[in-house]
């Protein structure tokens, strides 16, 4: 589902695809500069829903835009889109402390075996990836026959590495981390949950947080049961193409989606990609719920903003740096993390 910023354009086949192309990151063409120095092409963001501003206007004046309604007003209002029943948006639902906690967990504990990541297919289970990247270690293929890999200090590589063995730095692997799975493990090759795979339960604190936010979208008298989660990691230029989350048994139960890190654009389409999607900002700390009919709607992320002006994570960077030091902060400056928690059965 991930694409890079250099993927060639397809034909404008559907309304959803046209919106993806409209908001995707493209660079000004200038052969004199590398991509890092190129300026992003300007885009028109005037049609995006901004639930942070909507919330401020509602709190100050009781005013809502056409087509938007409030489902619940507590410390954080919950907004809905009238023509997308089952979709709920909770702006700023997570405190800075909570955001820092789940960023750290997403980078340190969530990719740990037996949880699976996108790296499993090539390298097998990788333990302690974040700490190894922080320590400038290198992953070396020790056993070609059994595809066994091990982290080494840079100074020890020459002694450990045979001429035919491959190696890759931990920092490169961390930047290429695209997903990890918690609880019941999702098999991406078969697009289903494989209950035979070893797994740990989702952490209790994350379960409780998901239950709290899911309550408004649950059928009467039922409690959300977090059984599986997929954590997505986005870097510069990454996108998540339009898709459905349709592998869970009961679509009346919500997916609870938590945004962390750089601001993104989220597209919420309809049951066909021919339906024009709603485009909206997702900021760090926002929570989105999709239940019932909304589970049948195509959705995706065509862009994240990693420049200082638009990422809107200054307060998060300051808090994270104060709590946990430089390495977490450097990662999140150009990254977005999304935790999607599901009731599988």
């Amino acid at each position: 589902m991930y694409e890079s910023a250099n993927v060639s354009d397809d034909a404008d086949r559907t309304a959803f695809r046209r919106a993806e192309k409209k908001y995707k990151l493209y660079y000004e063409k200038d052969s004199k500069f590398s991509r890092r120095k190129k300026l992003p092409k300007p885009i028109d963001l005037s049609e995006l829903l901004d639930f942070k501003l909507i919330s401020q206007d509602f709190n100050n004046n009781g005013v809502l835009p056409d087509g938007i309604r409030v489902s619940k007003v507590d410390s954080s209002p919950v907004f809905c889109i009238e023509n997308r029943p089952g979709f709920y948006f909770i702006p700023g639902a997570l405190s800075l402390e909570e955001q820092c906690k789940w960023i750290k967990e997403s980078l340190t504990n969530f990719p740990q075996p037996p949880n699976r990541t996108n790296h499993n297919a090539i390298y097998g289970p990788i333990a302690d990836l974040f700490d190894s990247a922080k320590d400038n270690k290198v992953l070396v293929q020790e056993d070609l026959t059994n595809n066994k890999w091990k982290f080494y200090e840079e100074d020890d590589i020459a002694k450990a590495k045979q001429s035919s063995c491959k190696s890759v730095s931990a920092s490169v692997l961390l930047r290429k981390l695209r997903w990890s799975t918690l609880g019941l493990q999702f098999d991406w090759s078969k697009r289903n949950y494989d209950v035979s795979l070893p797994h740990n339960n989702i952490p209790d604190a994350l379960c409780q947080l998901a239950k709290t936010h899911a309550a408004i979208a649950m059928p009467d008298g039922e409690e959300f049961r977090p059984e599986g989660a997929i954590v997505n990691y986005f870097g510069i230029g990454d996108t998540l193409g339009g898709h459905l989350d349709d592998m869970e048994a009961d679509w009346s139960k919500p997916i609870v989606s938590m945004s962390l890190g750089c601001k993104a654009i989220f597209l919420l389409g309809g049951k066909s990609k021919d339906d024009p999607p709603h485009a909206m900002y997702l900021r760090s700390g926002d929570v989105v719920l999709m239940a019932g009919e909304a589970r049948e709607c195509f959705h995706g992320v065509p862009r994240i903003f990693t420049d200082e002006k638009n990422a809107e994570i200054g307060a998060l960077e300051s808090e994270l740096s104060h709590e946990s030091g430089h390495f977490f902060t450097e990662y999140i400056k150009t990254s977005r993390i999304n935790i999607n928690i599901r009731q599988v059965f």
Side-chain angles (χ1 to χ4, degrees), residues 196-247:
S196 69
L197 292 173
H199 65 275
N200 297 326
N201 291 332
I202 297 174
D204 289 342
L206 186 58
C207 284
Q208 192 53 53
L209 190 62
K211 287 179 181 180
T212 299
H213 290 303
I216 191 172
M218 288 295 291
D220 289 342
E222 296 189 43
E223 183 179 65
F224 185 62
R225 297 197 312 271
E227 294 168 328
I230 298 173
V231 185
N232 297 117
Y233 305 83
F234 296 80
I236 296 172
D238 285 338
T239 69
L240 187 61
H243 66 283
L244 299 175
D245 293 304
D246 54 2
M247 290 297 104

Side-chain angles (χ1 to χ4, degrees), residues 43-339:
I43 56 173
D44 180 8
L45 301 172
S46 61
E47 296 180 356
L48 266 75
L49 289 169
D50 190 333
F51 281 103
K52 180 180 179 179
L53 295 182
I54 290 170
S55 181
Q56 291 172 354
D57 286 344
F58 177 74
N59 289 333
N60 293 334
N61 308 310
V63 175
L64 288 173
D66 291 342
I68 305 297
R69 62 181 178 85
V70 171
S71 181
K72 181 181 179 183
V73 181
D74 285 330
S75 56
S76 250
V78 180
F79 297 99
C80 303
I81 300 175
E82 289 181 352
N83 65 356
R84 295 292 185 270
F87 176 81
Y88 303 83
F89 195 110
I90 313 173
L94 305 180
S95 68
L96 277 178
E97 292 79 10
E98 288 175 316
Q99 293 171 50
C100 291
K101 173 183 174 65
W102 297 118
I103 287 170
K104 290 185 287 185
E105 289 290 305
S106 296
L107 292 173
T108 56
N109 291 328
F110 292 171
Q112 286 284 82
N115 297 340
R116 298 171 65 82
T117 76
N118 56 294
H119 291 319
N120 277 66
I122 298 175
Y123 306 104
I126 300 177
D128 303 320
L129 174 58
F130 185 82
D131 287 340
S132 297
K134 189 166 61 173
D135 295 337
N136 294 315
K137 291 185 176 181
V138 176
L139 190 67
V140 176
Q141 187 180 31
E142 287 192 313
D143 183 339
L144 278 70
T145 304
N146 297 305
N147 195 36
K148 290 185 178 180
W149 298 73
K150 182 180 177 180
F151 281 118
Y152 283 90
E153 303 284 350
E154 282 188 309
D155 294 342
D156 297 330
I157 293 176
K159 292 181 286 185
K161 186 178 176 183
Q162 301 174 19
S163 60
S164 58
C165 286
K166 300 176 182 177
S167 64
V168 58
S169 72
S171 59
V172 167
L173 290 173
L174 181 63
R175 277 296 169 190
K176 291 185 176 181
L177 182 65
R178 290 294 173 261
W179 55 261
S180 62
T181 50
L182 312 180
L184 294 175
Q185 298 292 289
F186 190 80
D187 187 333
W188 290 88
S189 63
K190 300 176 183 176
R191 294 202 75 244
N192 63 20
Y193 290 91
D194 188 342
V195 296
S196 69
L197 292 173
H199 65 275
N200 297 326
N201 291 332
I202 297 174
D204 289 342
L206 186 58
C207 284
Q208 192 53 53
L209 190 62
K211 287 179 181 180
T212 299
H213 290 303
I216 191 172
M218 288 295 291
D220 289 342
E222 296 189 43
E223 183 179 65
F224 185 62
R225 297 197 312 271
E227 294 168 328
I230 298 173
V231 185
N232 297 117
Y233 305 83
F234 296 80
I236 296 172
D238 285 338
T239 69
L240 187 61
H243 66 283
L244 299 175
D245 293 304
D246 54 2
M247 290 297 104
E248 292 74 36
D250 184 353
W251 291 3
S252 70
K253 308 302 189 297
I255 288 179
V256 182
S257 178
M258 303 178 184
S259 288
L260 303 165
C262 293
K263 186 174 71 177
I265 295 176
F266 178 72
L267 297 179
L268 176 66
K271 297 180 181 180
S272 163
K273 286 191 174 182
D274 291 323
D275 299 325
H278 294 278
M280 65 198 75
Y281 290 117
L282 276 175
R283 293 178 173 87
S284 192
D286 291 342
V287 170
V288 163
L289 310 174
M290 296 181 70
E293 288 188 45
R295 292 290 300 268
E296 302 177 59
C297 293
F298 284 92
H299 55 281
V301 177
R303 184 165 185 165
I304 69 166
F305 295 93
T306 57
D307 60 292
E308 187 175 348
K309 177 182 176 182
N310 292 300
E312 295 190 32
I313 56 169
L316 176 62
E317 285 182 41
S318 178
E319 181 76 15
L320 196 57
S321 179
H322 175 73
E323 274 194 12
S324 307
H326 174 74
F327 206 75
F328 286 103
T329 307
E330 284 303 306
Y331 178 90
I332 210 63
K333 275 182 179 180
T334 56
S335 304
R336 174 178 181 264
I337 298 171
N338 186 235
I339 306 174

